[in-house]
Amino acid sequence: MDRLHISTYLRTPRGRFIDVFSMEAERQPTKAYLEGAIELVLSGKAVLNQSLWDDVEFLWWGLVDMVVEFRKTGEASMDFPDQPLTATLTRREREWLRFEVRNWQGELVTASSVQETALFALLKREGPKTLARLAELNPANAASHERALAALSR
């Protein structure tokens, strides 16, 4: 497993996950709500994975908003749209941050630490092409994807 990577998947009507960039993704029925998952691996540990699937567009927008807020304040969080989960970013020592996912009872689901610059570089590299692809698959949300793209480019 890579030490640091991000991938995005759509959930098919039968519950399978397919890469958002696959040809099969283009053949999925158009819906206002794109079910899917982000797989985010930090320091070799998956902090987001397919078991944490939800509205994948909202997950991406929340992730972008969380990173923007973290850069301003040193901490940030996002609630999953349809699951009782919250992801948080908190500053650790020097250039390190901690990414955690907890359920609404406060129990830790998963966590890992990563260098801040590495996470931001990953999102700046992968975010624009993934958000553009999601906008292709669901043009109704293009304005929200554009807002997220603009936030990533700052």
Side-chain angles (χ1 to χ4, degrees), residues 1-3 40-48 108-112:
M1 177 182 289
D2 291 338
R3 305 257 330 131
L40 177 60
V41 175
L42 305 176
S43 300
K45 182 173 182 188
V47 292
L48 296 177
L108 185 66
V109 175
T110 186
S112 187

Side-chain angles (χ1 to χ4, degrees), residues 38 40-42 44-49 51-52 80 85-88 98-103 106-113:
I38 297 172
L40 177 60
V41 175
L42 305 176
K45 182 173 182 188
V47 292
L48 296 177
N49 59 42
S51 71
L52 304 176
F80 281 58
L85 298 170
T86 299
T88 60
R98 182 152 174 94
F99 189 108
E100 292 183 352
V101 177
R102 291 184 179 271
N103 66 24
E107 297 163 335
L108 185 66
V109 175
T110 186
S112 187
S113 295

Side-chain angles (χ1 to χ4, degrees), residues 124-143:
K124 280 189 142 220
R125 184 178 69 244
E126 299 298 325
K129 60 186 170 187
T130 303
L131 289 164
R133 178 63 168 164
L134 290 169
E136 287 174 10
L137 296 172
N138 193 8
N141 288 331

